[in-house]
Amino acid sequence: MAFNEAQLCAIRHTDGPMLVLAGPGSGKTTVIVNRILHLVEKQGAGPGEILVITFTRAAAQEMQKRYEKERRNSREAPAAAPVFGTFHSVFFSILQTYLGFTPKNIIKTEEQQAVLRKILERPDIPAVYTEDLAGLLLAEISRAKNCGLSRSFVPGACDPGLFFRIYEAYGRMLLCMRLLDFDDMLLLCLTLFRKRPEILARERKRFRYILVDEFQDINQVQYDIVRLLAAPENNLFIVGDDDQSIYGFRGSKPGIMLRFPEDYPGCKRVLLDQNYRSGGEIIEAALRLIEHNRSRFPKELRPGRSLAARVSVQGFENEQAEYEALSALIRRYLGQGIPLSEMAVLYRTNGEAPPPRAFLRGQGFSELPVFSTFHGAKGLEFTVVFLIDANEGVTPHGKNKGREELEEERRMFYVAMTRARQFLHIFYTNSRYNRPQKQSRFVRELREERRGVHGRIKGFGSRR
């Protein structure tokens, strides 16, 4: 397999920390898999000494499958395999080994609701139980744990004083029942490593090389555990793209990735700057947008292959006109031989989905796949992508966003744009449900010139 210079630099890295900035479509999975093979075949690492962590079970399984395929094609790779897993599966296996926990100790959602009901029914808690409040509190409890239980945490569901009383009561009840929620797996593992140095030493010896995929999605507790586990050799190989950090509601912080070179001053850095997914016009438009964010690593991206591409921004009088144009374009692309499986309609939240979905089903397009939120489309790619309802209040979602929230909204739009290989259509409306609308600020930003780059994208503009 042929690799570009940046990919080779990452694959052949020896010891110590390395930060791999992997732009969209830059072949990061290929780099990780071949990095593992290089460690085993060229550096003499035992496969069992290698820990590969990602954020979803599907991603871990895909990574393992890719590794096993490459291993079968290699004469040198041994039959043993590294450990592939999510943060939760890896850390829970440690709790199983040393504390005797089993899957029966993991609390179910309905049990969490029952615990909160008991707490909120107490006379000293001035709150009335509802399923909506319970859902909000569980989300806030999760976010607080992922932030490392800092007292600076500001809840949105209720008064901070009341929240922490509920939080502490919830923790005590789970402890009495010997139950864990998913966030406790991380916190308990961190506590175990801090209080039992002999266990930490054993796990450090077990995993000499740690590779973390999608590092931009890491939260503070996960990072604290990984840092403990990697020390003192710090053979920590992290791969991610700060511009694709879109899970702030789960406690992930792109600032952790931005701070990595400070935490590891001698770390090597490489940018995978060739995008093998999208055509040049799409890459240029995506960079035009994301460069408005301040909290990011500056980077240039370029197409890794010659691919004709087009970006089109269109405004419509209302949502009905938008849906009719969407239907007409889908028919046109079908006529050009592009199947429905290669088209995606993306939107900011599930609240926008029912009307266009119903309209397209009425037009006979019920098989259109991945009708998806920006979040849900992450990691996927299509020949044609439609971003609908690019209006203020929809994307960016809501009003009065702070800078950090607004930058995450912009990153979501960037992620959605970079799902497209050849044709990207961005739609906005002048009215929705008979109410005046403004085009998204992201649409306006797409029309601005890039810093240091002269001229606009050919054919890029608004159509009516």
Side-chain angles (χ1 to χ4, degrees):
M1 183 181 293
F3 302 106
N4 63 47
E5 186 177 344
Q7 289 173 329
L8 279 174
C9 180
I11 290 167
R12 294 174 177 172
H13 174 65
T14 53
D15 294 335
M18 173 170 253
L19 165 60
V20 180
L21 280 173
S26 60
K28 69 180 180 65
T29 302
T30 296
V31 165
I32 292 172
V33 168
N34 284 276
R35 160 76 174 154
I36 298 167
L37 289 169
H38 183 80
L39 285 173
V40 173
E41 297 174 9
K42 306 300 182 185
Q43 290 185 226
E49 295 180 311
I50 302 170
L51 173 62
V52 185
I53 306 176
T54 189
F55 280 82
T56 67
R57 184 183 303 175
Q61 290 172 342
E62 175 63 22
M63 198 88 69
Q64 185 168 3
K65 193 182 300 182
R66 291 271 296 271
Y67 170 78
E68 289 172 351
K69 181 181 178 181
E70 293 295 330
R71 187 192 69 192
R72 287 193 296 269
N73 295 334
S74 173
R75 296 179 180 178
E76 299 181 51
V83 174
F84 295 86
T86 65
F87 279 97
H88 289 94
S89 67
V90 170
F91 298 155
F92 187 65
S93 70
I94 292 171
L95 298 181
Q96 286 179 296
T97 301
Y98 297 104
L99 299 180
F101 283 102
T102 73
K104 291 181 180 179
N105 296 110
I106 302 173
I107 192 170
K108 297 180 175 63
T109 302
E110 56 270 22
E111 293 174 316
Q112 289 179 296
Q113 298 266 6
V115 167
L116 279 177
R117 179 184 290 276
K118 286 183 180 179
I119 293 170
L120 294 176
E121 286 175 350
R122 284 172 26 181
D124 61 318
I125 300 291
V128 178
Y129 177 89
T130 65
E131 288 190 6
D132 287 345
L133 178 59
L136 283 172
L137 285 170
L138 287 173
E140 295 279 61
I141 288 169
S142 174
R143 199 157 62 91
K145 290 180 178 181
N146 287 328
C147 291
L149 299 177
S150 170
R151 277 282 172 174
S152 62
F153 174 80
V154 180
C158 61
D159 172 78
L162 176 60
F163 171 77
F164 281 106
R165 283 165 64 193
I166 294 170
Y167 177 92
E168 288 163 4
Y170 172 82
R172 285 194 298 270
M173 288 185 71
L174 262 60
L175 186 63
C176 288
M177 295 185 287
R178 194 170 162 76
L179 291 175
L180 302 171
D181 61 26
F182 277 93
D183 304 301
D184 289 329
M185 294 180 195
L186 309 181
L187 283 171
L188 197 53
C189 192
L190 180 59
T191 301
L192 183 69
F193 282 169
R194 285 174 171 169
K195 293 187 174 180
R196 299 283 299 277
E198 76 281 6
I199 290 176
L200 176 58
R202 195 178 304 169
E203 291 300 307
R204 282 174 172 171
K205 187 176 181 181
R206 179 184 172 204
F207 295 125
R208 288 191 54 227
Y209 295 92
I210 301 174
L211 295 83
V212 184
D213 186 24
E214 302 285 8
F215 191 83
Q216 75 278 351
D217 294 330
I218 202 166
N219 65 43
Q220 191 61 51
V221 175
Q222 291 165 337
Y223 186 48
D224 290 343
I225 298 172
V226 166
R227 291 199 73 188
L228 280 173
L229 199 54
E233 295 182 55
N234 294 327
N235 292 324
L236 187 53
F237 185 89
I238 68 164
V239 183
D241 181 6
D242 54 305
D243 289 333
Q244 296 188 67
S245 177
I246 59 173
Y247 293 107
F249 65 93
R250 294 181 187 168
S252 68
K253 296 180 179 179
I256 294 175
M257 188 170 191
L258 295 171
R259 201 173 63 237
F260 190 83
E262 298 173 21
D263 292 338
Y264 296 93
C267 83
K268 301 289 179 62
R269 286 195 268 183
V270 66
L271 168 65
L272 303 184
D273 61 348
Q274 292 193 50
N275 182 320
Y276 294 96
R277 174 190 300 151
S278 305
E281 190 167 318
I282 294 170
I283 296 170
E284 184 76 9
L287 287 173
R288 187 186 299 268
L289 173 82
I290 202 63
E291 284 181 347
H292 284 80
N293 276 3
R294 286 189 286 169
S295 298
R296 64 185 294 265
F297 288 114
K299 59 181 77 72
E300 281 291 330
L301 301 175
R302 54 200 172 99
R305 57 183 179 136
S306 178
L307 187 66
R310 180 171 176 76
V311 178
S312 171
V313 178
Q314 293 176 262
F316 301 93
E317 287 304 320
N318 53 44
E319 67 271 24
Q320 181 68 21
E322 179 186 36
Y323 303 158
E324 288 173 358
L326 177 60
S327 175
L329 280 169
I330 291 172
R331 291 190 191 281
R332 191 180 83 186
Y333 283 121
L334 284 171
Q336 294 174 4
I338 299 174
L340 284 176
S341 61
E342 279 297 319
M343 302 185 217
V345 178
L346 306 183
Y347 42 86
R348 171 61 183 85
T349 69
N350 282 316
E352 284 90 65
R357 190 195 302 268
F359 183 90
L360 290 178
R361 281 178 176 168
Q363 300 292 308
F365 299 132
S366 57
E367 296 180 7
L368 195 69
V370 234
F371 224 94
S372 174
T373 62
F374 294 172
H375 282 104
K378 192 168 183 292
L380 304 178
E381 57 184 78
F382 305 90
T383 301
V384 184
V385 168
F386 301 94
L387 306 188
I388 62 172
D389 298 332
N391 290 90
E392 284 291 303
V394 178
T395 177
H397 185 62
K399 297 178 181 178
N400 303 319
K401 296 283 186 186
R403 185 176 68 84
E404 288 186 5
E405 292 175 303
L406 181 60
E407 292 203 352
E408 178 155 315
E409 290 282 334
R410 190 176 285 110
R411 290 194 294 268
M412 278 187 259
F413 204 84
Y414 174 82
V415 165
M417 290 178 68
T418 54
R419 301 310 94 197
R421 286 194 288 261
Q422 284 188 271
F423 305 104
L424 173 62
H425 294 269
I426 301 172
F427 292 168
Y428 65 91
T429 60
N430 295 321
S431 71
R432 277 167 56 87
Y433 312 119
N434 297 316
R435 294 181 179 178
Q437 297 289 307
K438 292 182 179 179
Q439 63 179 249
S440 170
R441 70 192 70 189
F442 301 152
V443 172
R444 296 195 297 272
E445 290 168 0
L446 285 170
R447 296 196 175 104
E448 297 174 9
E449 291 187 4
R450 285 191 61 204
R451 299 166 204 168
V453 177
H454 300 286
R456 296 178 180 238
I457 298 177
K458 184 180 179 183
F460 192 83
S462 176
R463 299 181 180 179
R464 290 291 304 276

